[in-house]
Amino acid sequence: MPPPPIAAAATALPAAHLARVVAASGNGGANPPRTAPRRGRRGKPGFSRRSAIKKSFHQEQVVFSTPVPADPTVAVIGGGASGLSCASALAARGVRSVVFDTGMHGLGGRMATRFVDGGEQLVFDHAAQFFTASDERFQSMVDEWLDRGLVREWSGLVGELEAGGRFRAIPSLTPRYIGVNGMRPLADAMLPETDMIKVLRPCWISKLEPFNGLWRLFENEKPHGEYDAIVIAHNGKCANRLLSTSGLPLLTKQMKRLELSSVWALLAAFEAPLPVPCIDSRGAFEGAFVRDVDSLSWMGNNTRKLFPMQTGTPECWTFFSTAAYGKRNKVPQENIPKVTAEKVKEDMLGGVEHALGLSKGSLQQPIYTRVQLCVEITGVQLCR
């Protein structure tokens, strides 16, 4: 998945290639790169992807003159699937790394599972709903997870749901896999038992800058060490923010081509099963890509998916909006206004009614809800 010294989320690079990229784009001088003089701001200051990119373009390109040491230390910013894969691959090559992750409850990024205790435990996969394996190396890891009982093949009915309740099953050419107890435990399983990898969380790296041939990291001006190489395994917005102080305008130009969009995720638990369409003897669907509903693109029954033999308990569903709806209702991801959260919840529940062909207002009220704004990069959802 990933590339450069500072890479916007990807799988592991061979250590040698990582070192070459850093050597070619870093700064070996004793002083940080010079930047263009600051211009006055209009209105309140705040971060935007456009302003970060613009700021980056005014910087001089950093060039390291010192060679990368034989035993480099790498900082991996982001503890999702890409960051953990990268750290694991580096460790296998004898390269030490430190993984910085913002997760309050655990590692995983989009491999996120939310557990809610409210009399009965509610369980939601609120980002990645399932995964497939098309790469032989990844398939070998999945086979190991199967042997350890961490994952299983998802045999539930998955398909397309058109507005009005018309469902069509979609056969999968490759197996769909899910975490037996949700996606989050897979994050811990990705890290090998080794002292070559150190994990720091929760930690939100806010600034990256070159100094004396190394990269310095900061969390709100608090220093977090110096490293020979950096991998940004994070979403595009955070990558742009870090690049704005890096002195790497050439890399920023690559990031500018990355298409980002916003998607809302709604977690909802219902006391009784939803009236979803049944297909012959196969029963009700467990996951559906929704068509022709503006506020809804996916709906997945976590309870049926994770606990198929369980009965008499609330149903936990994960719903995703369309990117178009997310764009029209975009707000700061870190601070969602209550009025917006309530509007999004009502719109998406209305979308569920429309998708299932129910009359307006007839959907049962959920006993639990939570909305989150996600960043989508080329079709992959990254929730926080």
Side-chain angles (χ1 to χ4, degrees):
M1 294 170 166
I6 301 190
T11 38
L13 281 177
H17 178 54
L18 184 64
R20 284 200 299 272
V21 176
V22 176
S25 61
N27 172 24
N31 300 313
R34 297 187 301 275
T35 59
R38 289 193 173 193
R39 299 177 181 178
R41 294 179 184 231
R42 294 182 180 179
K44 294 182 180 181
F47 173 82
S48 71
R49 182 173 184 240
R50 179 176 297 178
S51 65
I53 292 175
K54 185 175 181 180
K55 180 179 179 181
S56 301
F57 284 170
H58 285 94
Q59 298 179 4
E60 292 184 8
Q61 180 68 28
V62 174
V63 178
F64 281 4
S65 58
T66 55
V68 176
D71 56 342
T73 300
V74 180
V76 179
I77 305 174
S82 297
L84 297 178
S85 295
C86 182
S88 179
L90 290 173
R93 292 162 173 78
V95 179
R96 295 184 180 276
S97 66
V98 179
V99 177
F100 296 92
D101 189 66
T102 60
M104 295 290 294
H105 305 289
L107 295 167
R110 75 197 78 166
M111 296 189 299
T113 304
R114 182 170 294 276
F115 301 89
V116 181
D117 287 312
E120 294 177 283
Q121 190 176 65
L122 310 177
V123 183
F124 304 87
D125 277 334
H126 68 81
Q129 300 292 288
F130 63 91
F131 63 92
T132 60
S134 57
D135 182 272
E136 291 183 1
R137 295 166 296 178
F138 182 49
Q139 184 64 62
S140 65
M141 180 182 291
V142 174
D143 291 340
E144 180 185 337
W145 289 345
L146 288 167
D147 292 339
R148 295 169 58 186
L150 295 173
V151 303
R152 64 175 173 83
E153 195 172 332
W154 186 16
S155 57
L157 198 58
V158 179
E160 287 187 346
L161 179 66
E162 294 183 10
R166 295 176 293 277
F167 179 81
R168 179 178 67 87
I170 302 176
S172 179
L173 299 178
T174 57
R176 301 183 180 103
Y177 297 104
I178 58 172
V180 170
N181 296 308
M183 291 293 187
R184 185 192 296 171
L186 301 184
D188 294 328
M190 294 182 72
L191 283 178
E193 295 184 4
T194 174
D195 60 358
M196 300 293 290
I197 303 173
K198 181 180 179 181
V199 176
L200 291 181
R201 70 167 185 82
C203 180
W204 194 297
I205 297 300
S206 58
K207 186 169 70 171
L208 156 71
E209 66 179 22
F211 184 76
N212 280 351
L214 296 170
W215 295 101
R216 301 199 300 188
L217 299 184
F218 299 85
E219 180 183 19
N220 298 325
E221 303 306 322
K222 175 185 176 182
H224 269 294
E226 299 178 347
Y227 304 88
D228 298 292
I230 305 290
V231 175
I232 300 180
H234 220 305
N235 67 48
K237 179 181 176 181
C238 291
N240 287 322
R241 172 173 48 81
L242 292 169
L243 287 172
S244 67
T245 58
S246 68
L248 296 172
L250 298 180
L251 184 58
T252 305
K253 288 182 179 179
Q254 297 180 28
M255 288 295 298
K256 186 179 180 182
R257 297 198 296 268
L258 191 66
E259 293 185 10
L260 305 180
S261 59
S262 298
V263 172
W264 285 95
L266 168 64
L267 312 182
F270 300 90
E271 194 68 56
L274 294 187
V276 302
C278 292
I279 306 297
D280 305 323
S281 60
R282 290 174 286 178
F285 71 77
E286 296 180 13
F289 298 95
V290 181
R291 307 301 181 203
D292 304 322
V293 177
D294 176 64
S295 61
L296 206 63
S297 66
W298 165 266
M299 55 189 299
N301 187 336
N302 297 270
T303 304
R304 287 286 302 275
K305 179 184 73 173
L306 296 174
F307 314 108
M309 305 305 294
Q310 184 173 288
T311 59
T313 58
E315 279 191 351
C316 300
W317 286 79
T318 296
F319 305 107
F320 292 135
S321 77
T322 62
Y325 179 86
K327 183 178 181 179
R328 291 199 310 274
N329 294 275
K330 185 177 181 181
V331 294
Q333 188 180 14
E334 301 80 9
N335 186 22
I336 300 174
K338 289 184 178 180
V339 63
T340 302
E342 187 63 25
K343 176 185 182 300
V344 168
K345 182 187 77 171
E346 295 304 320
D347 287 350
M348 294 185 69
L349 290 176
V352 174
E353 286 182 337
H354 187 30
L356 295 176
L358 306 177
S359 57
K360 188 172 182 179
S362 64
L363 183 71
Q364 62 175 298
Q365 287 299 304
I367 59 174
Y368 169 86
T369 59
R370 177 185 175 90
V371 294
Q372 296 180 212
L373 185 59
C374 312
V375 175
E376 186 178 75
I377 303 177
T378 60
V380 177
Q381 288 160 352
L382 306 159
C383 297
R384 211 188 334 271

